[in-house]
Amino acid sequence: MHVLIRGAGVAGLAVAYELVQRGAAVTVADTASSLGAGASWCAGGMLAPYCERESAEEDVITLGKGAASWWDRVLPGIVNFKGTLVVAPPRNAFELKHFVARTTGYAAVSAEEIAALEPDLDGRFQAGLFFAEEAHLDPRAALEKLQVKLASKGVQFAFGPANETDHTCFDRVVDCTGMAAKTALPQLRGIRGEMLYLETPEITLSRPVRLIHPRFPVYIVPRGNGRFMVGATMIESDDEGPPSARSLVELLNAAYALHPAFAEARILELSSGVRPAFPDNLPRIVERGVTAYVNGLYRHGFLLAPALARQAAEVLYSNEEASFNEADRQRRTA
Amino acid sequence: MPLTVYNTELSSRLLLGTAQYPSPAIMAEAVKASAAGAVTVSLRREGARSGSGGDFWKLIQDLGVHVLPNTAGCHSVKEAITTAQMAREVFGTNWVKLEVIGHQDTLQPDVFGLVEAARILCEEGFAVFPYTTDDLVVAERLMEAGCEVLMPWCAPIGSAKGPLNSDALRAMRAHFPGTPLIVDAGLGRPSHAAMVMELGFDGVLLNTAVAKAGDPVRMAEAFANATDAGHTASKAGMLEPRDMAAPSTPLLGRALLS
């Protein structure tokens, strides 16, 4: 089977991997000039289904809990199996109770346990939550390494605007273009996210730390070499423009609240992206003729791409419906 | 008798916010379950650039409920007015829930800016629903500015504390007997909604208490029932508390020993 995959974000590359494993001849085309043009490049890379469940449906756990082992199998060494730490400033400590009302997979941790997990946070928080089963990865390194791996398995890559057209020599097309598929999938909407990279030698964290705040919940993900990704806003908007001053103030305030030494950190990068989502904020596979759309991964790209990619491959290799294709979803919600 | 605001009858005395839900699909279900008379939607952040929140706003319009755009997140008169004008274009309504935030920590309204913005917007033909405190003098100024509805807080936004000063709410009801009064902000539980409705308020507006509930759809239904119960009770005439016990069945034929 010859398959054209449109979109070289996390969804497109994960689908490419699953198809190539099943023996397909795959070409990945993206209208950008290289990797890194879409929302995936701005991702947090947290493989944190239990934390995400706080604001999402149970499917996020069902589909996401195998993600860390998928990434670890595909790109050995890329995943950090260190869990997630959730902390709240003393004033908002009761919010921890709220946070876990909708989820599982955590243990309450004391000030001493927080210090044992993250020595640099010693004395800063009295109570927190530890999600031991969760993991994280560096999304940019993951995308780059996955591209290299796919190329070594014979996947062709075609970058640039010229690759917009001509799918006639392929048996199937998988469209993973996110918001660019809006015309075909009118229910898609964009949720703008803004994030920044900080660098400081003064703080060391081993795992993503989520700071609970009733107004500005924020996470900080260590990327190694004193670099930290701070994210991310959630704004109902498909505006791709640069981050707003207010969003930066909120993100920086949160970083400062986690550790005052972040005040002296250098800002390496400010970025924004638009996450594609369906009205229920859950992903789906939509088949239209030769094309299967894999879209709506929302804020869960790296977490849900493995499961969606497997389902997409199954859809292409059988006529059976995957559990996330459109007909099935309509039946479930009927 | 239904609640009438700016010559419009609302089908319910519960008004629901549309922010912070796990997904727009759940938000839509919650609105349906609550049978809300109107929904509020914020535009400040989403629309800062040329109406880029269009997809979400379309979902709101598709709910088929009166839309009350708000100026949440505005800290100045100018911001609030620009946002109200944009809301009028986007939603084709002259309704606006006017918020001018004055205090970063408590999100208390800047009542001076609020009155000024209300005056300007009323003159421009807007139907202004001002988010205010329970201060009677400010309320009077808002009425003078042209507001026909008052929306006092009962506790800070999102605090879920419920009515902190029921005396002030009672005084407000007494001073503005003919003005629709809607408690906006601070409700945490259905019992809070029932409580302010029992005080004779005409409606409640809430968001976080439903959106952040474990099951927003069921909580929306609970708030609708409580709002209804409180309103019905206020019309039915409630007993005043008394210090002495009064048996509902007379104890005839028994000696009174005290």
Side-chain angles (χ1 to χ4, degrees), chain A residues 99-209:
Chain A
F99 190 86
V100 296
R102 287 165 55 92
T103 193
T104 53
Y106 62 91
V109 285
S110 65
E112 292 73 30
E113 289 164 316
I114 292 171
L117 288 166
E118 297 291 353
D120 279 0
L121 298 183
D122 186 10
R124 298 201 49 74
F125 299 96
Q126 292 307 304
L129 305 163
F130 183 49
F131 293 77
E133 300 298 306
E134 298 188 334
H136 73 281
L137 53 71
D138 179 339
R140 295 178 182 182
L143 291 175
E144 281 167 349
K145 286 182 175 166
L146 187 50
Q147 184 191 11
V148 170
K149 176 137 192 171
L150 290 169
S152 77
K153 287 175 175 284
V155 171
Q156 302 287 315
F157 283 87
F159 285 100
N163 298 294
E164 179 63 52
T165 50
D166 195 26
H167 59 266
T168 46
C169 47
F170 295 93
D171 302 311
R172 298 293 303 261
V173 176
V174 183
D175 187 296
C176 305
T177 54
M179 284 307 290
K182 168 93 177 154
T183 317
L185 305 170
Q187 278 199 305
L188 270 185
R189 72 184 204 289
I191 294 96
R192 172 176 163 86
E194 297 146 297
M195 62 84 154
L196 52 95
Y197 268 81
L198 295 178
E199 183 181 45
T200 172
E202 292 184 64
I203 303 169
T204 305
L205 296 176
S206 304
R207 54 182 61 73
V209 179

Side-chain angles (χ1 to χ4, degrees), chain B residues 181-196:
Chain B
L181 298 180
I182 298 170
V183 166
D184 174 11
L187 299 169
R189 300 167 175 236
S191 53
H192 297 154
M195 212 182 295
V196 298

Side-chain angles (χ1 to χ4, degrees), chain B residues 24 83 100 102 116 181 201 230 254:
Chain B
T83 306
V100 184
E116 188 187 335
L181 298 180
F201 275 72
R254 294 194 197 175

Side-chain angles (χ1 to χ4, degrees), chain B residues 77-91:
Chain B
V77 173
K78 192 179 163 198
E79 275 175 277
I81 287 169
T82 312
T83 306
Q85 287 164 340
M86 190 177 75
R88 180 157 65 178
E89 270 175 48
V90 170
F91 288 105

Side-chain angles (χ1 to χ4, degrees), chain A residues 52 55-61 63 102 187-191 234-236 275-284 295-301 303-304 308 324 329, chain B residues 18-27 56 59:
Chain A
E52 289 298 307
S55 60
E57 306 273 324
E58 184 68 18
D59 293 298
V60 166
I61 293 181
L63 293 171
R102 287 165 55 92
Q187 278 199 305
L188 270 185
R189 72 184 204 289
I191 294 96
M234 300 269 290
I235 299 172
E236 290 283 350
R275 313 168 179 94
F278 289 107
D280 57 5
N281 290 347
L282 291 172
R284 61 191 71 171
N295 215 317
L297 276 76
Y298 185 44
R299 52 178 278 158
H300 312 301
L303 180 64
L304 300 187
L308 264 285
F324 255 81
R329 169 168 293 280
Chain B
T18 55
Q20 300 185 355
Y21 290 81
S23 69
I26 291 176
M27 181 269 290
F56 185 67
L59 288 171

